[in-house]
Amino acid sequence: MHIFRNLHAHAMVLVQREGQVYSRHDLRNLALLLQRLKIQTGFTLPKDLVDATFLPFLAVLLPKSPRVAAGMIHTVAANIDGNLVCFGGNTHGQCNPPADLGPVIVVGAGGYFTAVVEIDGRLVCFGCNCYGQCNVPADMGPVMTVAAGGDHT
């Protein structure tokens, strides 16, 4: 396998020995699918297969994303199973995730709100929305990471 990329990481492609070309987007989707499969069914690929073919590319494909974040008066974390844990001050509902929240892969904490990315790439924000920081655009599409400031996402 070979990796080719230009100065922009989004232009990276992976070429297998057989000549099949996979984009960074294809491999990210595969990584998310494997993670979802593990969470939902407990199934994992054999370690030797992952080590030989997939593991070398995870560092390139998946950015180091925070799984713990601190807001003004609260803390949020995603545990190994993707469950969100919030604690501390909850004056604006920043520790009350929506009931339909799925497994989380990235967390962010703003002043009095929480922003998370679910395993399918959906951005979810909750808590104080005084400045529209929790209004995720309907056409946002899947995201890989999130950052939160005092009053902005």
Side-chain angles (χ1 to χ4, degrees):
M1 291 187 207
H2 302 284
I3 294 179
F4 300 97
R5 71 160 93 182
N6 66 14
L7 294 176
H8 303 287
H10 69 272
M12 181 197 76
V13 295
L14 168 71
V15 180
Q16 285 188 324
R17 288 186 195 115
E18 298 82 22
Q20 181 67 39
V21 177
Y22 296 96
S23 71
R24 176 187 180 104
H25 180 74
D26 294 334
L27 293 171
R28 177 184 168 273
N29 286 343
L30 177 60
L32 292 173
L33 177 67
L34 291 173
Q35 187 175 8
R36 183 181 303 134
L37 185 64
K38 180 178 179 182
I39 289 170
Q40 292 177 351
T41 68
F43 174 81
T44 57
L45 292 173
K47 184 177 178 348
D48 58 337
L49 177 64
V50 173
D51 289 349
T53 60
F54 196 65
L55 192 60
F57 302 102
L58 286 179
V60 175
L61 298 173
L62 301 175
K64 291 184 179 179
S65 299
R67 294 184 62 93
V68 176
M72 187 68 72
I73 59 173
H74 74 294
T75 302
V76 296
N79 68 18
I80 194 72
D81 295 327
N83 296 318
L84 183 66
V85 179
C86 302
F87 51 95
N90 192 28
T91 55
H92 296 280
Q94 65 267 35
C95 291
N96 295 337
D100 64 343
L101 186 69
V104 171
I105 57 172
V106 181
V107 301
Y112 298 97
F113 70 98
T114 299
V116 299
V117 178
E118 291 181 311
I119 195 167
D120 63 359
R122 183 173 76 117
L123 177 61
V124 178
C125 301
F126 53 93
C128 181
N129 194 28
C130 302
Y131 301 100
Q133 64 268 38
C134 292
N135 296 338
V136 178
D139 61 348
M140 180 77 154
V143 299
M144 290 183 66
T145 192
V146 66
D151 295 315
H152 62 283
T153 306

